[in-house]
Amino acid sequence: MQNAEQEAFAGFLNSLCAEYQKHNQIDPAYYERYNVKRGLRNADGTGVMAGVTQIGNVMGYYVQDGERIPAPGKLVYRGIDVEELVNGFVSENRFGFEETAYLLLFGVLPTREQLTTFQKILSENHDLPHMFTEDMIIKAPSPDVMNKLARSVLALYSYDDNPEDMSLSNQLRQAIQLIARVPVIVAHAFAVKRHYYDNESLYLHRPQPGLSVAENFLYSVRHDNQFTEEEARLLDLCLVLHAEHGGGNNSAFACRVLSSSGTDIYSSIAAAVGALKGPRHGGANKKVMEMFGYIEEAVKDWKDDDEVKDFLGKLLRKEAGDRSGLIYGMGHAIYTLSDPRAVILKRFAKKLAAAKGMEDEFELFETVERLTPEVLLSVKGETKVVCGNVDLFSGMVYKMMGIPQELYTPLFAVARIVGWCAHRIEEVYQPGNRIIRPAYKAVAPMRTFVPLDQR
């Protein structure tokens, strides 16, 4: 468009915005009047029961006499407490993500032979289709890796010789290929983003046979391919903790909604990627680090509780930070006393902070976690029990590992692709599968059509 056309278009958009706001106001009272479950949540904050699953469970409270009672958080994968799962492979000095993927997909822990075979199959499916990176990533670079990932997942449909076959064997074949390929897509999309938007040299690395998903990811996103054993183990832990979080989380539910319609796996997973990108979901870890940038700059003495509380109050009053009124990384829809993922990650992050000489910054994160409930009470009068969630510490861990912020949410997707595929297959093959279709109450008054010349 020419400048004059751009100005005219901008003016027209402004008039359209005014027109929309004039005719599209919904009275908030309607939600209470019609008992609308906003966010598919009940009045007490519990989720509306939309299905059953064997894949994952998230527990943060129990109900007694109709009242929610806070409890220590638990995350369960296929009936196994994730803390027990982590302790198992860490104590045996093994990587755990591939084992976790097998568990979530097939519902049982693999034998040594099954795990070895599964790892080999994942390694054999790392390679992207011929010219995929050139045609789908390099020729259309994106400033956001998540958007490029969603587009690339959709594009894989065109490279699949049998994309619409809904048989279990084909769905599992597609799921395994997606789990293997998503880390490579993310690494390539990141490299291309850095080249075209940040004026850096372009380095594209092929995954190496015999390396774990975590090792290959670090190998692929670093120019010199160098990483330490400690970094790979910690990234592997992050992937395990992010792999699944129940069928009701926003991205898994988006995947299940699309899957219930009978559409292909690529469309369902692409929808989940789009949901995860949002700052209220997977994008929160980036917002946490952005928020701490504001805190670290504004608070002169990080060890002064009063100064930290004062700034947290400004965040809540929309006087500082991104003016959202949120303290990112605090609170969760289900967890109350603790987020088990944050508890586990915090334990390992503390050791890394000591090794990296970043104890003061780590302590600031702990201070925000400790003071936020008090500030919420004093500023907003909120008495709800809140805890630090996994996003509070995952960004800190990635920062200590030297992983750029552009990769925080894509790394979440690298892990969660496992949970999405598991929910996709369960949704398609559950008994009595029906398309998911909740109801919306229509509140617009009836009107008659007015001829064009009379408007």
Side-chain angles (χ1 to χ4, degrees), residues 177-198:
Q177 287 185 333
L178 280 166
I179 293 168
R181 288 170 168 176
V182 161
V184 183
I185 292 172
V186 168
H188 287 190
F190 171 70
V192 171
K193 182 266 177 188
R194 280 291 176 101
H195 178 65
Y196 286 100
Y197 289 91
D198 304 330

Side-chain angles (χ1 to χ4, degrees), residues 247-382:
N249 76 79
N250 191 268
S251 55
F253 188 64
C255 178
R256 295 193 78 130
V257 169
L258 268 75
S259 296
S260 75
S261 76
T263 193
D264 62 278
I265 192 171
Y266 302 107
S267 295
S268 298
I269 299 300
V273 173
L276 189 72
K277 179 192 174 187
R280 293 181 179 180
H281 192 11
N285 50 22
K286 280 199 308 183
K287 298 299 289 185
V288 166
M289 297 310 293
E290 177 186 301
M291 178 186 75
F292 271 93
Y294 293 125
I295 295 173
E296 291 171 7
E297 182 179 355
V299 176
K300 304 306 178 186
D301 183 358
W302 297 354
K303 298 182 184 298
D304 185 335
D305 281 5
D306 289 336
E307 190 177 359
V308 174
K309 281 193 291 186
D310 180 66
F311 189 78
L312 292 177
K314 291 179 180 178
L315 290 176
L316 289 175
R317 290 189 293 268
K318 302 182 181 182
E319 298 169 358
D322 66 357
R323 303 305 201 272
S324 66
L326 299 174
I327 297 179
Y328 294 102
M330 292 298 303
H332 191 269
I334 296 176
Y335 297 129
T336 53
L337 296 180
S338 62
D339 178 340
R341 303 166 301 171
V343 172
I344 295 170
L345 199 55
K346 182 179 175 180
R347 185 168 72 240
F348 287 88
K350 191 168 187 175
K351 296 177 183 177
L352 183 60
K356 296 280 187 179
M358 299 175 68
E359 294 98 330
D360 288 346
E361 189 168 1
F362 181 80
E363 287 176 9
L364 177 61
F365 277 66
E366 290 187 306
T367 299
V368 169
E369 180 185 29
R370 174 170 53 84
L371 296 178
T372 293
E374 181 182 341
V375 178
L376 282 168
L377 177 61
S378 63
V379 175
K380 291 192 170 183
E382 290 189 10

Side-chain angles (χ1 to χ4, degrees), residues 29-51:
Y30 283 138
Y31 294 99
E32 185 174 353
R33 181 184 306 171
Y34 298 112
N35 193 27
V36 175
K37 311 291 188 181
R38 301 198 72 180
L40 289 183
R41 297 186 193 179
N42 298 309
D44 62 359
T46 58
V48 172
M49 199 63 67

Side-chain angles (χ1 to χ4, degrees), residues 12-129:
F12 183 57
L13 282 177
N14 287 335
S15 67
L16 288 178
C17 288
E19 188 82 350
Y20 181 89
Q21 291 169 343
K22 180 180 178 182
H23 299 289
N24 289 275
Q25 298 299 317
I26 294 179
D27 186 346
Y30 283 138
Y31 294 99
E32 185 174 353
R33 181 184 306 171
Y34 298 112
N35 193 27
V36 175
K37 311 291 188 181
R38 301 198 72 180
L40 289 183
R41 297 186 193 179
N42 298 309
D44 62 359
T46 58
V48 172
M49 199 63 67
V52 295
T53 182
Q54 292 183 317
I55 299 166
N57 192 16
V58 184
M59 296 176 281
Y61 59 87
Y62 62 93
V63 178
Q64 181 175 309
D65 298 328
E67 182 181 353
R68 290 208 316 172
I69 308 299
K74 281 191 176 296
L75 174 59
V76 178
Y77 290 173
R78 293 285 190 172
I80 299 176
D81 191 313
V82 76
E83 185 170 4
E84 186 179 345
L85 179 69
V86 167
N87 289 340
F89 65 76
V90 169
S91 66
E92 296 176 7
N93 200 32
R94 296 186 292 104
F95 289 97
F97 180 63
E98 291 82 356
E99 181 177 9
T100 301
Y102 189 101
L103 170 66
L104 289 171
L105 275 180
F106 305 110
V108 65
L109 287 169
T111 64
R112 187 177 298 277
E113 182 181 355
Q114 288 171 331
L115 179 58
T116 299
T117 301
F118 186 63
Q119 290 168 328
K120 182 174 181 290
I121 290 173
L122 285 176
S123 182
E124 291 171 349
N125 281 277
H126 279 314
D127 289 342
L128 300 177

